[in-house]
Amino acid sequence: MNTTSKSDSYAAAGVDITAGYKAVELMKKHIAKTMTSGVCSGVGGFGGLFELDMTGITRPVLVSGTDGVGTKLKLAFLMDKHDTVGIDCVAMCVNDVICVGAKPLFFLDYIACGKNIPERIADIVKGVCEGCVQSGAALIGGETAEMPGFYPVDEYDLAGYCTGVVDKAKIIDNNKMKEGDVMIALPSSGVHSNGFSLVRKVFDVENADIKTPLEELGGKSIGETLLTPTKIYVKPILALLDEVQVKGISHITGGGFYENIPRSIPDGLGARVQKSAVKILPIFDLIAKRGGISERDMFNTFNMGVGMCVIVDKADADKALGILGGQGEDAYVIGEIVKSEEKITIC
């Protein structure tokens, strides 16, 4: 740890640079777990170095994604639990990158806070590292910015950036999609990291009791349920791509079914989702009931229990389900691709 760099004047203005050094020391053991063979640099440099392994790749295409956790962080503040939101941050990036068939390589995070509390920062990064381990990405850099007067002392924001690689010939091409193709759902772990402005309003989380267990949520509290980390689908999808031609993948994030599923479907075709097939999680029933939210708005805001949707040929459906099942995914069919000018129909 740096013991010579300190500024009493800067500390008097609200920025303790020595706290930053301590936070880095605390997070190093977590970062070490994410190291992969491509990493060429350690913690603390001016840039993260990564050597690209070209084995088996003819024409490498780099794929990048960036995102944050949004107002789900408010739940972390209220529950005083900070070791899982980092998983959300990684998930929101790597789950997007995998939608084009790219394998995540490395990740960088950015934490902005009102006050650098080293143990809290280390907890946040612990979650980031867990997300990196789950997705096979290395955490090769990051930034913690202490910004007194901009953020409240007990609050922070968290964002991240991921880069992956895919052989150009293996980029998922939805032009191969056709009528009769099957839509397979990969279950979500909960609300994931979208729609929390509405969720917070529905449950009035700043004023309500969110820590008491509820029968409707299987004995978990609202706070605990809402903080469930976003599921990471990288490894199951990579396993599927090795054996089955995947024609489209949708990461179901903000905008729900109506916004995200059409993004993977070419013009002239549409998705027909069987509503009765969707395994809706109890938290979504509770949100709809407490908020008086219409079914249409629910499907246009939340993932409803489906974190990712994969489209394959009907002849490959059983094989795909078997592969995903072998990866621990309770995947199931929720619909099919039809000829239509309407991109999605839920019936």
Side-chain angles (χ1 to χ4, degrees), residues 35-260:
M35 294 297 99
T36 62
S37 59
V39 179
C40 302
S41 59
V43 179
F46 288 101
L49 305 179
F50 192 92
E51 182 179 8
L52 184 61
D53 183 357
M54 298 283 287
T55 305
I57 301 176
T58 304
R59 299 178 65 187
V61 176
L62 297 179
V63 182
S64 298
T66 185
D67 210 335
V69 184
T71 63
K72 182 174 185 175
L73 292 176
K74 288 285 189 180
L75 273 298
F77 306 155
L78 291 167
M79 297 290 289
D80 194 23
K81 181 173 174 57
H82 310 281
D83 60 351
T84 60
V85 289
I87 301 175
D88 292 293
C89 188
V90 175
M92 295 305 293
C93 298
V94 299
N95 284 346
D96 278 356
V97 164
I98 196 65
C99 285
V100 296
K103 177 184 178 180
L105 297 174
F106 57 82
F107 191 84
L108 296 95
D109 62 4
Y110 174 79
I111 305 168
C113 57
K115 181 176 176 59
N116 188 330
I117 302 172
E119 293 77 13
R120 179 179 295 174
I121 298 299
D123 261 358
I124 297 168
V125 175
K126 177 183 177 182
V128 172
C129 292
E130 173 59 27
C132 286
V133 169
Q134 289 183 25
S135 60
L139 181 62
I140 64 169
E143 169 69 8
T144 300
E146 190 172 15
M147 302 167 65
F150 194 89
Y151 289 95
V153 170
D154 292 327
E155 296 193 3
Y156 56 84
D157 198 6
L158 173 63
Y161 165 87
C162 172
T163 293
V165 66
V166 61
D167 196 319
K168 190 170 184 178
K170 296 182 179 180
I171 295 174
I172 294 174
D173 181 8
N174 67 5
N175 288 315
K176 297 177 181 178
M177 203 176 295
K178 69 179 189 302
E179 182 180 18
D181 286 343
V182 170
M183 303 171 62
I184 295 175
L186 279 68
S188 70
S189 56
V191 182
H192 282 184
S193 302
N194 304 101
F196 272 84
S197 293
L198 177 55
V199 168
R200 287 167 45 238
K201 179 182 178 182
V202 166
F203 292 120
D204 188 22
V205 296
E206 281 83 4
N207 301 302
D209 175 9
I210 61 170
K211 296 183 178 181
T212 298
L214 296 179
E215 185 178 343
E216 302 102 302
L217 299 177
K220 292 186 176 181
S221 69
I222 290 173
E224 182 183 4
T225 301
L226 293 177
L227 269 186
T228 301
T230 304
K231 196 169 186 179
I232 292 176
Y233 300 96
V234 171
K235 292 180 181 179
I237 294 297
L238 287 176
L240 182 64
L241 292 173
D242 279 344
E243 299 189 51
V244 173
Q245 182 186 62
V246 175
K247 302 182 181 183
I249 304 178
S250 299
H251 181 200
I252 314 300
T253 56
F257 281 47
Y258 283 97
E259 181 175 324
N260 292 289

Side-chain angles (χ1 to χ4, degrees), residues 7-19:
S7 170
D8 293 335
S9 297
Y10 209 3
V15 178
D16 182 0
I17 58 177
T18 61

Side-chain angles (χ1 to χ4, degrees), residues 2-7 17-18 21:
N2 193 328
T3 58
T4 59
S5 175
K6 69 174 186 175
S7 170
I17 58 177
T18 61
Y21 302 143

